[in-house]
């Protein structure tokens, strides 16, 4: 997705990582010259900012060139709100690009903290490609969603926030 976006991968982008708590690895090495800020609902490794991303991005907080959100949406009932927050966190005049990966059709449930199964009471539901595409098209001028049946993941990127 990074290559398809046309972004200069060696640029010093300011990147917001929504759901950025490191539970099983990081993608930060894919943009090695970027400045990363990890945002998550709870503190932990890789988290610089504790914020519930289903809530609006607060006015006056920093804005970013890129937002990434990997393997989060399936763990949040209000996943559409996270995409809205991502669009709000992108700075006007920048590349305004969002990258998303999530569990989709056919993927087995798994826990938010890396456990093989969701914890009791933990929300989990796969995000189908079509609703993901529709929500991204509502928020962005360009959106692409690709589905991979093995392992059952959706990969998406969107550019150009509709404000």
């Amino acid at each position: 997705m990074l290559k398809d976006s046309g972004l200069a991968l060696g640029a010093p982008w300011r990147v917001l990582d929504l759901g950025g708590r490191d539970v099983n690895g990081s993608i930060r090495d894919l943009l090695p010259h970027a400045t990363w800020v990890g945002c998550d609902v709870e503190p932990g490794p890789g988290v610089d900012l504790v914020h519930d991303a289903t809530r609006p991005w607060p006015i006056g907080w920093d804005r970013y060139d890129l937002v990434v959100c990997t393997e989060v949406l399936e763990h949040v009932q209000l996943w559409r709100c996270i995409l809205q927050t991502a669009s709000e966190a992108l700075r006007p005049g920048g590349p305004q690009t969002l990258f998303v990966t999530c569990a989709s059709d056919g993927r087995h449930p798994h826990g938010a903290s890396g456990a093989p199964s969701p914890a009791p009471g933990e929300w989990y539901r796969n995000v189908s490609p079509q609703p993901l595409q529709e929500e991204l098209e509502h928020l962005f001028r360009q959106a692409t969603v690709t589905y991979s049946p093995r392992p059952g993941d959706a990969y998406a990127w969107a550019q150009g926030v509709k404000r």
Side-chain angles (χ1 to χ4, degrees), residues 120-134:
E122 182 179 304
W123 172 265
Y124 184 91
R125 181 130 335 124
N126 289 338
V127 178
S128 294
Q130 188 61 36
L132 179 58
Q133 179 79 39
E134 291 168 0

Side-chain angles (χ1 to χ4, degrees), residues 14-122:
R14 289 182 34 82
V15 183
L16 177 64
D17 187 356
L18 286 180
R21 188 167 45 100
D22 184 353
V23 295
N24 59 3
S26 174
I27 63 163
R28 294 182 182 197
D29 60 333
L30 297 176
L31 296 169
H33 301 291
T35 301
W36 290 80
V37 173
C39 176
D40 205 293
V41 71
E42 61 185 67
V47 178
D48 304 295
L49 176 64
V50 176
H51 175 69
D52 180 351
T54 65
R55 311 280 307 185
W57 194 249
I59 295 171
W61 281 21
D62 284 345
R63 301 289 174 107
Y64 299 87
D65 299 308
L66 314 174
V67 174
V68 299
C69 184
T70 59
E71 302 304 309
V72 172
L73 300 184
E74 66 269 24
H75 300 288
V76 181
Q77 185 173 6
L78 300 173
W79 62 267
R80 287 175 174 85
C81 294
I82 292 178
L83 298 178
Q84 175 67 41
T85 299
S87 73
E88 294 166 356
L90 288 163
R91 74 174 181 85
Q96 296 185 334
T97 304
L98 168 65
F99 297 98
V100 174
T101 67
C102 61
S104 190
D105 298 346
R107 178 102 174 258
H108 294 289
H110 56 275
S113 295
S117 298
E122 182 179 304

